[in-house]
Structure formats: C-alpha cells, structure tokens
Amino acid sequence: MKVWIAGLLVALAAATAHAATDPLAEARRFYNLGQYDNAARFARDAMKLPATTDGARLILGRIYLEQYRRSADQDHLMQAREALRAVNTQGLDRRERVELVIGLGEALFLDDKFGPAAELFERALDSSADLGPEAHERLLDWWASTVDRLALTGPRDSREAVYAPIFTRMEKELAADPGSAPASYWLAAAARGAGNLEGAWNAAMAGWVAAPLGKDHGAALRADLDRLVVQGIIPDRAGRLQPRDIKGTSMRMLSDWEALKAGWTR
C-alpha cells in the first residue's frame, strides 16, 4: 500500500511538473475538455513564454469564442478577435495554422458573416484531419451549418446550387468513414434544403440504420435525424406528394419512419 501511494505521489508530481513546463499543452487539454476557465489560465501562463506566446494567443482566442457561444457576451467576442488578430502567424506550425483558420471562421460565423466564414472553413477541411477525427467532425458540422445559414439568407431559387457542395462533401466523407455523424446528418439535411426530398428521406433512413457505426452508438445522430425527419422532411414531402391530403400522407410517412426506427433499434 505504501509503495502504491508513493508511486501515485511521484506520478502526480511528474504531472504537475509537466504542466508547469508546458502550460500550452495544458491549455489545449482543458480546451478539449470544455473547461474553458482552466484552459484560459494555462493559456495566459503560456503567453509569458516567448516560445509559446502565439500558440497561447491562438488557443485563448478560441476559448473566448466558446465562452461567447455560451454567454452571448459581446466582450468575449471582442476579446476573441483581439487575441486572434495579435497572433504572429510566422511562428505557427502547420497544425496551429489550421487551428487559426478555423478560429477565424468561427469568429466570422458568430458575427453573422456566413459567406467568408464558409470560405475559411472549406479551406481547412482537408487539413483538419491532422487535428484528429473529433476536430475534423466538428469542422464538418461548422462548415455545413455555415453554408446552410448562407443558403437560407439567399434567394430560394439559388439554394440548390448552395447546398450542392455539402451533399458532395458528405458523400465523400461517408465513403471514407461510414460512421461519420455530421456527414450522415448533413447528407439528409442538404438534400432537403436543395429540394431533393426523396434523397433526403432515403439518406435519413440510411443514416438511422448505420448510426451505431459512430461514437455514442449513434444516439445523438439519431435524435438529430428524428427531428429533421419529423419536423422537416415528412411535412415537406407530404406537401409535395399529396397537397390535398397533407395530414393523412404525413401520418402514413410517420408510421413508416417509426416502423424503421423500431426495426433497427436494440
């Protein structure tokens, strides 16, 4: 028992020493955990070290963006812009340059600048694989959400062209990773947005069946698909197929959807 406790104390001391010598790594770790106050504390420590100043500014800017999303406090958005603007890009490595492009896109999105935000996110899509699968999936969702907002703010007759890149990209993502939750969701959502309701219906059903391939066994994806189908695809599809009997047609489609869910749920 004494040996075990001694070993634990040594491990804790080593972890503390590592955090003291690499506050930027700790800032990133807490950021990924969603513990933004702790992440900001370590990022400020990292800013005091010349070798990590700009990496710390980058992560601090992204921390402020996440805090703005939670609080809607304009000060957080302003601080995020200031931190990101202050980054000396010449000192960033490849991974950090990708993170900066994503952070700039997030700042533009949160400022309702959907067109330039979508452009920046798209530039980072292929490189984001270097940040790991979770970061890549988050960026996929950011990008598709931004293009969706852009489509909804434009003329209705131009939406098919705006949604087309989402549909193409998500098919590519699913070919590489059939368990990608954002790709499964946005394939169906983009098809609906473009007016391809049969494609949306089929993609949603396929997404539900294949959902367990993803993380959390598809629980979050299935909840999102269920809302999309019940609140969006079914009413739209029923209105197009049977405009004189929307209610009855909707009920039949809902019955088909519930039967599919029941047949493919453990």
Side-chain angles (χ1 to χ4, degrees):
M1 186 66 175
K2 289 180 180 179
V3 172
W4 182 83
I5 292 174
L8 177 60
L9 291 175
V10 170
L12 289 173
T16 302
H18 177 72
T21 57
D22 195 355
L24 182 57
E26 285 299 284
R28 291 185 183 281
R29 185 173 71 84
F30 280 116
Y31 174 85
N32 291 330
L33 291 172
Q35 297 179 25
Y36 300 121
D37 290 338
N38 286 332
R41 178 165 55 86
F42 279 104
R44 292 188 185 97
D45 288 343
M47 284 179 65
K48 301 172 185 176
L49 305 175
T52 56
T53 296
D54 290 301
R57 285 185 178 131
L58 167 58
I59 194 67
L60 192 60
R62 299 197 68 189
I63 290 166
Y64 285 134
L65 289 173
E66 292 302 321
Q67 290 176 328
Y68 173 73
R69 291 179 67 193
R70 292 183 174 187
S71 67
D73 184 341
Q74 287 293 326
D75 283 344
H76 286 148
L77 187 56
M78 180 186 68
Q79 289 170 318
R81 288 197 206 101
E82 290 177 352
L84 295 174
R85 280 201 307 260
V87 174
N88 177 6
T89 59
Q90 301 308 305
L92 301 181
D93 61 25
R94 173 182 168 82
R95 176 191 178 97
E96 289 171 328
R97 293 174 75 85
V98 176
E99 289 182 347
L100 178 59
V101 172
I102 296 171
L104 294 171
E106 290 176 359
L108 288 168
F109 176 91
L110 295 171
D111 204 23
D112 295 339
K113 303 293 190 297
F114 303 124
E119 177 67 28
L120 287 177
F121 287 145
E122 189 167 4
R123 293 179 186 181
L125 275 174
D126 289 334
S127 300
S128 67
D130 295 341
L131 307 181
E134 290 189 5
H136 178 66
E137 288 204 342
R138 284 197 300 270
L139 179 58
L140 268 182
D141 192 49
W142 268 107
W143 172 69
S145 299
T146 307
V147 176
D148 180 53
R149 294 284 190 92
L150 186 62
L152 295 176
T153 59
R156 182 175 292 274
D157 58 6
S158 70
R159 290 181 184 175
E160 183 176 356
V162 178
Y163 280 110
I166 299 181
F167 197 83
T168 301
R169 181 78 199 200
M170 298 312 171
E171 283 188 322
K172 176 184 174 181
E173 293 286 337
L174 287 169
D177 178 12
S180 173
S184 290
Y185 174 82
W186 281 108
L187 188 70
R192 182 206 171 204
N196 181 5
L197 299 177
E198 293 307 306
W201 176 248
N202 291 330
M205 290 193 291
W208 180 279
V209 173
L213 290 169
K215 59 184 180 182
D216 76 3
H217 301 291
L221 171 60
R222 282 180 164 177
D224 290 340
L225 285 173
D226 194 48
R227 283 191 295 273
L228 177 65
V229 169
V230 173
Q231 299 175 16
I233 295 173
I234 285 178
D236 291 353
R237 189 166 175 255
R240 180 175 294 180
L241 292 176
Q242 295 291 338
R244 295 184 179 181
D245 185 23
I246 294 177
K247 184 175 181 181
T249 305
S250 295
M251 292 302 295
R252 288 190 289 274
M253 290 182 188
L254 182 60
S255 177
D256 290 344
W257 175 245
E258 293 296 333
L260 176 92
K261 288 164 55 181
W264 289 99
T265 302
R266 289 183 181 179

